[in-house]
């Protein structure tokens, strides 16, 4: 059985803990590898190596750091196909979807190539008599990222691309469900010229997470995962004096106005609701048609499309989406479909029973479409994170916008309309961090920043873009004077006279 260890100081290294976690092939349901789970002591060794290497990396001029990022970008493009197939084999998303995962991470690497410009500070000449004032951005030191299973390439790159370009050393703790891609990214960074120790991968479970949060030399932690864990990481990290950005769950609503193009809406909902088996934090999981007439017309279009979705092995080029990440997660999604029916919702398309000859043990689930979902239902309140689209009908615009505004999550949302005034009002009033107007998955590009509201995000800084640069650096402000001679002592606070 293949064993996956850790990427430390430029090479694979075993922690010798004797603890392993199964890495499955979701398409077959069979174990394909074992990933070693590290200890707190091993994490401390990784941090020590990163700290030792970081000072020289921080002293490397930003242009040279950018060249490493640029070389890394080229290697990602060179190995795109192999990386996508590796990602697909452990996660279960199709190869084209896996390429999209890598590409959206690569875009942040492209952004990080501009780090010499992004790190420029401010300067004021003559702030006072013979006094100049300037600020500079400097790296924090050793920082860490705790990343989820659903985007094993994109989200690590969202974090480490900016952090490393800013001059930090980075500890990556990927999901134990699909750890191979982050390990491979470490090898490519090494090939691109990154010094040993600047990017470390420590595989593990909660023991490693707690060790990261408690270690005094880890100055900042970036996280993406469930809201319960995000809140835990934010609270504990803050207790230990760290900067924390912790992105949590989502329940993304798409408002469909009576003037919307329902053919476009149908196409978008099929992709945004069922792509990657619904395992996206920006997936549309609730469609909100305004008026019963719109709802009935939408369901009439959606039903045959959902029933016709092709589900199968992730490497099959003809499938729409592949299996879910694990047997346990598949069972959890089924429980929420069951729950929605118990709560009184109408199951329009039932995707619970799907099986393929030769792949009976795979973690497959067909698409489900559920109508008549109400705000009081637990299945509406919860992020199901599977190939399930719920329909929550609204009487008018006000009742429609009230749904995402009242929900505990505020990650992404969309409105479909031809009315510019309605779109503008929605964008202004909706209490959600990322908004799409006739766009189903409004994930910002790399030079903007990603982040939700309410229980979808804990912390004050968004990920990547200029927000990421601010998160992974600290500001130092210098007031400089070159006096001609000693002046009289003053006992009041200095002012710029």
């Amino acid at each position: 059985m293949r064993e996956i260890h850790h990427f430390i100081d430029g090479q694979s290294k075993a922690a010798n803990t004797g603890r392993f976690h199964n890495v499955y092939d979701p398409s077959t349901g069979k174990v394909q590898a074992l990933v070693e789970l590290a200890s707190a002591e091993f994490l401390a060794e990784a941090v020590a190596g990163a700290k030792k290497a970081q000072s020289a990396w921080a002293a490397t001029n930003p242009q040279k750091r950018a060249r490493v990022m640029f070389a890394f970008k080229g290697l990602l493009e060179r190995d795109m196909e192999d990386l996508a197939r590796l990602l697909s084999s452990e996660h279960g998303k199709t190869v084209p979807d896996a390429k999209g995962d890598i590409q959206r991470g690569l875009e942040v690497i492209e952004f990080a190539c501009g780090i010499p410009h992004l790190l420029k500070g401010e300067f004021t000449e003559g702030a006072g008599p013979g006094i100049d004032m300037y600020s500079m951005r400097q790296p924090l030191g050793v920082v860490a990222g705790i990343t989820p299973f659903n985007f094993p390439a994109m989200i690590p790159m969202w974090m480490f691309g900016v952090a490393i370009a800013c001059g930090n050393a980075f500890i990556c703790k990927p999901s134990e469900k699909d750890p191979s891609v982050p390990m491979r990214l470490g090898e490519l960074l090494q090939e691109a010229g990154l010094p040993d120790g600047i990017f470390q991968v420590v595989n593990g479970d909660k023991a490693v997470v707690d060790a990261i949060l408690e270690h005094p030399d880890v100055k900042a932690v970036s996280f993406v995962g469930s809201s319960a864990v995000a809140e835990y990481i934010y609270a504990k990290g803050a207790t230990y004096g760290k900067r924390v950005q912790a992105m949590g769950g989502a329940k993304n609503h798409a408002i469909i106005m009576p003037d919307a193009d329902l053919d476009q809406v149908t196409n978008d909902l099929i992709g945004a609701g069922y792509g990657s088996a619904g395992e996206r934090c920006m997936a549309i999981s609730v469609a909100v048609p305004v008026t019963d007439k719109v709802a009935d017309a939408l369901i009439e279009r959606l039903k045959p499309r959902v029933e016709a979705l092709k589900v199968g092995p992730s490497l099959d080029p003809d499938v729409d989406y592949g299996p879910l990440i694990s047997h346990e997660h598949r069972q959890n999604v089924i429980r929420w479909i069951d729950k929605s029916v118990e709560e009184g919702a109408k199951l329009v398309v039932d995707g619970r029973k799907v099986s393929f000859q030769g792949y009976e043990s795979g973690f497959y689930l067909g698409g489900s479409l559920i109508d008549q979902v109400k705000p009081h239902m637990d299945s509406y309140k919860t992020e199901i994170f599977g190939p399930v689209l719920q329909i929550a009908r609204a009487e008018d615009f006000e009742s429609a916008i009230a749904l995402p505004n009242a929900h505990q999550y505020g990650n992404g949302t969309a409105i479909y309309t031809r009315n510019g005034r309605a779109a503008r009002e929605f964008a202004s009033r909706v209490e959600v961090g990322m908004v799409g107007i006739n766009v189903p998955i409004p994930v910002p590009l790399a030079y903007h920043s990603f982040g939700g509201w309410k229980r979808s995000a804990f912390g004050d800084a968004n990920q990547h873009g200029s927000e990421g640069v601010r998160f992974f650096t600290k500001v130092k402000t210098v007031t400089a004077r070159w006096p001609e001679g000693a002046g009289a002592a003053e006992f009041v606070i200095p002012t710029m006279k």
Side-chain angles (χ1 to χ4, degrees):
M1 182 65 66
R2 179 169 61 98
E3 291 186 0
I4 303 166
H5 296 284
H6 316 273
F7 189 78
I8 304 296
D9 298 337
Q11 59 187 340
S12 177
K13 184 176 181 180
N16 299 316
T17 61
R19 296 195 308 128
F20 290 87
H21 185 278
N22 291 337
V23 178
Y24 289 89
D25 178 344
S27 294
T28 64
K30 296 179 180 179
V31 177
Q32 61 169 308
L34 299 175
V35 59
E36 185 184 32
L37 303 178
S39 61
E41 293 75 17
F42 187 81
L43 182 278
E45 292 179 21
V47 173
K51 184 178 180 180
K52 182 179 179 181
Q54 188 270 331
S55 58
W57 178 242
T60 301
N61 74 61
Q63 191 170 2
K64 289 184 178 180
R65 298 202 299 262
R67 288 171 182 161
V68 172
M69 292 292 104
F70 195 80
F72 178 58
K73 169 188 175 295
L75 296 175
L76 289 171
E77 292 169 334
R78 182 196 71 186
D79 291 354
M80 176 70 77
E81 184 70 28
D82 291 342
L83 284 167
R85 295 182 75 85
L86 177 62
L87 193 160
S88 178
S89 71
E90 289 187 353
H91 176 276
K93 64 177 66 178
T94 64
V95 172
D97 197 22
K99 289 180 179 178
D101 184 331
I102 299 163
Q103 178 63 36
R104 292 310 298 266
L106 187 152
E107 290 168 4
V108 174
I109 302 303
E110 290 176 329
F111 171 79
C113 290
I115 202 66
H117 173 73
L118 297 167
L119 286 178
K120 289 192 300 187
E122 300 172 324
F123 186 91
T124 301
E125 181 183 16
I131 295 175
D132 298 327
M133 190 174 294
Y134 60 94
S135 64
M136 60 184 82
R137 289 200 166 271
Q138 296 184 325
L140 301 177
V142 180
V143 299
I146 301 167
T147 63
F149 74 82
N150 61 324
F151 285 97
M154 180 184 79
I155 292 178
M157 284 193 275
W158 278 10
M159 298 174 183
F160 75 67
V162 177
I164 290 174
C166 286
N168 299 288
F170 191 89
I171 308 291
C172 182
K173 205 302 283 183
S175 170
E176 59 273 26
K177 293 182 175 68
D178 48 4
S180 290
V181 168
M183 293 285 288
R184 180 65 183 136
L185 294 178
E187 294 170 354
L188 292 180
L189 283 166
Q190 205 73 15
E191 187 178 347
L194 191 72
D196 293 352
I198 299 301
F199 181 77
Q200 315 271 58
V201 179
V202 180
N203 291 301
D205 51 11
K206 186 176 182 295
V208 170
V209 171
D210 284 336
I212 288 171
L213 296 173
E214 295 170 8
H215 199 293
D217 287 332
V218 177
K219 302 302 181 183
V221 176
S222 184
F223 170 82
V224 175
S226 71
S227 287
V229 179
E231 187 172 21
Y232 171 82
I233 285 175
Y234 175 68
K236 185 163 185 173
T239 298
Y240 281 86
K242 303 185 190 309
R243 289 188 181 183
V244 181
Q245 52 178 198
M247 306 300 163
K251 194 78 171 184
N252 304 319
H253 297 66
I255 311 302
I256 299 112
M257 298 296 289
D259 65 343
D261 181 339
L262 290 187
D263 291 332
Q264 178 196 353
V265 172
T266 301
N267 285 334
D268 285 359
L269 289 179
I270 290 295
Y274 300 97
S276 197
E279 294 174 323
R280 296 170 175 159
C281 67
M282 289 294 284
I284 292 295
S285 52
V286 184
V288 185
V290 176
T291 74
D292 287 334
K293 180 181 178 180
V294 174
D296 292 341
L298 179 63
I299 290 172
E300 184 180 358
R301 286 169 168 80
L302 280 172
K303 184 175 184 293
R305 294 287 299 276
V306 176
E307 291 173 335
L309 285 170
K310 293 182 179 179
V311 186
S314 62
L315 297 179
D316 186 337
D318 296 324
V319 302
D320 294 311
Y321 67 87
L324 277 73
I325 187 68
S326 68
H327 172 75
E328 292 76 15
H329 183 54
R330 179 182 182 276
Q331 294 304 112
N332 187 56
V333 174
I334 290 173
R335 280 193 291 271
W336 280 114
I337 298 171
D338 296 341
K339 180 69 172 178
S340 67
V341 175
E342 294 170 8
E343 292 178 318
K346 180 182 178 182
L347 188 57
V348 179
V349 180
D350 186 352
R352 289 174 291 186
K353 294 182 180 179
V354 172
S355 181
F356 306 99
Q357 186 175 0
Y359 295 92
E360 290 84 358
S361 298
F363 309 138
Y364 299 101
L365 200 59
S368 292
L369 180 64
I370 306 174
D371 189 18
Q372 303 291 346
V373 172
K374 307 296 183 184
H376 70 271
M377 296 179 178
D378 288 340
S379 60
Y380 168 78
K381 298 175 184 177
T382 302
E383 182 180 32
I384 297 175
F385 218 60
V388 180
L389 178 64
Q390 297 178 310
I391 307 291
R393 300 177 180 225
E395 295 179 357
D396 51 32
F397 176 82
E398 290 298 328
S399 56
I401 197 173
L403 290 172
N405 283 358
H407 206 280
Q408 64 170 325
Y409 297 126
N411 208 41
T413 188
I415 185 170
Y416 283 86
T417 182
R418 292 182 172 92
N419 187 313
R421 182 178 180 277
R424 185 176 186 275
E425 184 174 356
F426 179 79
S428 175
R429 290 175 52 194
V430 72
E431 297 176 15
V432 174
M434 291 168 283
V435 181
I437 297 174
N438 299 313
V439 173
I441 303 179
V443 178
L445 291 174
Y447 41 86
H448 288 269
S449 294
F450 179 99
W453 290 10
K454 296 180 282 191
R455 287 186 57 78
S456 290
F458 298 85
D460 299 321
N462 286 348
Q463 291 185 324
H464 66 68
S466 57
E467 285 273 291
V469 174
R470 285 192 283 270
F471 180 76
F472 286 117
T473 58
K474 52 194 174 187
V475 175
K476 181 181 291 182
T477 305
V478 179
T479 303
R481 177 174 64 186
W482 301 98
E484 296 180 1
E490 293 193 31
F491 295 91
V492 296
I493 190 166
T495 59
M496 299 303 175
K497 298 176 182 178

